[in-house]
Amino acid sequence: MIPYGRQSIDAADIESVVSVLRSDFLTQGPAVPQFEMAVSKMCGARYAVASNSATSALHLACRALDVRRGDIVWTSPITFVASANCALYCGAEIDFVDVDIETGNISVSALEAKLIWAESHNKLPKVLIVVHFAGQPCDMDSISRLAKKYNVSLVEDASHAIGASYNNEMVGACHYSDITIFSFHPVKIITAGEGGLATTNSSRLAEKMALLRSHGVTRDKNQMVDPSDEQWNYEQIDLGFNYRMTDIHAALGYSQLSKLEEFVDKRNDLAALYDSLLCDSSRVKPLIVRPDRRSAYHLYVIRLLNQSGEKRGSLFDSLRNQGVGVNVHYRPVHTQPYYSNMGFKQNDFPQAEEFYSQILSLPLYPDLEEESVKYIVDRLLENLN
Ligand SMILES: *Cc1c(COP(=O)(O)O)cnc(C)c1O
């Protein structure tokens, strides 16, 4: 089976992990700050805080932005559940903003309409978490203008989008947002085995996330309630977690980061090949990438036009049977049982639901052969005819 995504690990990656295993520190050594510095430099943000997953980084971001019971957080329904769960971890309420069907990203007009409604009903969110779906940055210029106007903090869930750019600026620069989150799960653009990271330009937010990542415990005299305590003393000044990244994971992430550009170039080349092979089909429409941005192409997603849901099911099965590991990203979060139990209903976000009924993710990863792309497209078109 050609999988929908997979990691590329080379000898240098293996060597850098092994060298940590031979060193003095398996965790809380030099590899994590080295990785953090390299990521913040790559994307042009002042600070980076690594953690053991993007899920924990999203939780840290919400806590740093003071999300708590009584607050509301908005995100996209077309995302992995973690983008919404982080608000619930903080006791906040979650709501969604409908998407643009051509990109799967949050729709600016839906956002604007919902903000106007929310203001008049006293239901404005404290935080909006946008998701750069499939690796394409959202319309950050318009979204950040709206966020500023309504005094909403902005988080970018860039789990799909490390290495992407918007207006010639790397995603993660936080030019438009308070915090950006990356994931280093093996299926994402670069991997640390498991891992996540938050970038920000705010020293206050960075400090808060770093504190909460490690139990809310500090040895920093400037943060301590009683800095005159004995040398060995540390203070717990907040309720944090153990969300630390290990040096083993950071060493892999650091080594992978040196190949980020190469990986994203390769993904863009393969996506362009898919685009060119599919451009004559009236039944298949790839996602549109807007001209002022570059996708990191975590996923290659097509929309099947004029198909019934049943037809997609049988297409899915026959492609899988022919060795093509297609997938569907994502069932809208508000239709998950846990969320429908909270009161969300079918038709709450009609664009997202229609998008979901049309989409299919085709295999895409740096080591995918061009021959395989041709094979995949041949099987796809054959099944559609
Ligand atoms: C993968 C993913 C996450 C979670 O990442 P982990 O590192 O596995 O916790 C969050 N949001 C989105 C959009 C993702 O794709």
Side-chain angles (χ1 to χ4, degrees):
M1 177 88 78
I2 304 168
Y4 85 85
R6 69 165 280 127
Q7 71 276 13
S8 302
I9 299 290
D10 67 11
D13 294 328
I14 293 166
E15 187 40 51
S16 76
V17 171
V18 169
S19 72
V20 170
L21 293 173
R22 294 210 168 96
S23 77
D24 292 335
F25 298 95
L26 299 188
T27 195
Q28 294 185 287
V32 171
Q34 181 187 43
F35 181 45
E36 289 173 334
M37 250 142 72
V39 175
S40 61
K41 183 157 176 252
M42 178 280 294
C43 58
R46 271 206 203 106
Y47 308 99
V49 178
S51 61
N52 56 10
S53 69
T55 303
S56 57
L58 283 160
H59 187 192
L60 293 173
C62 285
R63 281 287 308 270
L65 291 167
D66 202 29
V67 172
R68 53 178 73 213
R69 195 166 299 282
D71 290 329
I72 304 172
V73 172
W74 290 357
T75 189
S76 168
I78 299 295
T79 185
F80 183 58
V81 292
S83 322
N85 289 344
C86 56
L88 304 183
Y89 296 159
C90 301
E93 229 183 278
I94 188 81
D95 202 353
F96 301 92
V97 181
D98 213 347
V99 301
D100 167 2
I101 202 160
E102 290 191 318
T103 63
N105 279 339
I106 275 184
S107 148
V108 173
S109 56
L111 175 63
E112 184 161 28
K114 194 167 176 118
L115 285 165
I116 292 167
W117 170 87
E119 187 179 42
S120 66
H121 289 74
N122 215 1
K123 278 191 165 278
L124 281 172
K126 183 176 257 180
V127 176
L128 168 64
I129 303 172
V130 298
V131 179
H132 301 320
F133 178 70
Q136 169 168 213
C138 295
D139 297 322
M140 293 311 294
D141 192 27
S142 317
I143 291 171
S144 70
R145 265 177 230 267
L146 287 169
K148 283 204 182 77
K149 179 171 171 192
Y150 290 91
N151 199 22
V152 177
S153 298
L154 197 49
V155 173
E156 299 173 65
D157 182 346
S159 294
H160 297 184
I162 193 167
S165 58
Y166 175 82
N167 278 340
N168 296 315
E169 228 177 15
M170 297 307 284
V171 165
C174 295
H175 183 129
Y176 301 93
S177 64
D178 298 284
I179 298 171
T180 300
I181 305 296
F182 296 127
S183 170
F184 307 115
H185 181 276
V187 88
K188 306 292 164 73
I189 312 277
I190 59 169
T191 187
E194 291 273 9
L197 183 142
T199 60
T200 181
N201 292 319
S202 153
S203 60
R204 186 182 58 82
L205 293 174
E207 238 174 53
K208 190 88 197 268
M209 290 190 285
L211 179 72
L212 293 171
R213 165 178 69 180
S214 199
H215 308 283
V217 159
T218 185
R219 288 175 187 279
D220 178 353
K221 298 282 180 203
N222 294 318
Q223 290 185 323
M224 285 168 82
V225 174
D226 183 3
S228 68
D229 263 358
E230 282 81 358
Q231 284 295 326
W232 59 82
N233 220 348
Y234 57 78
E235 283 186 356
Q236 183 187 343
I237 57 172
D238 202 334
L239 182 62
F241 314 93
N242 180 353
Y243 281 170
R244 290 189 302 267
M245 179 179 272
T246 73
D247 275 42
I248 304 167
H249 293 86
L252 178 54
Y254 182 77
S255 173
Q256 286 261 299
L257 187 65
S258 65
K259 288 164 283 199
L260 175 64
E261 217 176 292
E262 179 195 324
F263 288 169
V264 171
D265 284 349
K266 195 71 203 291
R267 286 173 176 275
N268 272 273
D269 289 348
L270 293 168
L273 178 59
Y274 269 125
D275 284 347
S276 71
L277 295 171
L278 291 169
C279 69
D280 290 333
S281 171
S282 57
R283 300 173 182 225
V284 174
K285 200 164 158 54
L287 293 192
I288 287 175
V289 177
R290 307 274 180 225
D292 56 353
R293 60 205 81 173
R294 183 173 196 236
S295 177
Y297 272 110
H298 164 52
L299 299 171
Y300 188 80
V301 175
I302 56 168
R303 289 163 56 213
L304 301 165
L305 305 180
N306 317 313
Q307 301 275 315
S308 68
E310 255 164 65
K311 199 96 181 276
R312 180 180 55 171
S314 59
L315 175 65
F316 185 96
D317 289 342
S318 36
L319 286 171
R320 284 271 176 118
N321 288 334
Q322 291 170 307
V324 179
V326 287
N327 221 316
V328 173
H329 301 92
Y330 295 92
R331 170 175 171 175
V333 177
H334 70 281
T335 70
Q336 293 286 354
Y338 189 81
Y339 282 84
S340 42
N341 284 340
M342 290 170 42
F344 291 105
K345 295 183 299 296
Q346 280 295 317
N347 236 11
D348 277 352
F349 304 98
Q351 291 283 103
E353 289 166 36
E354 187 178 351
F355 183 74
Y356 169 61
S357 74
Q358 298 176 334
I359 49 178
L360 199 63
S361 303
L362 304 181
L364 182 62
Y365 48 92
D367 296 331
L368 182 66
E369 307 273 344
E370 290 191 4
E371 282 313 307
S372 302
V373 171
K374 288 174 188 151
Y375 174 82
I376 292 160
V377 170
D378 285 345
R379 296 293 81 73
L380 171 69
L381 295 178
E382 194 175 272
N383 276 287
L384 285 173
N385 283 329

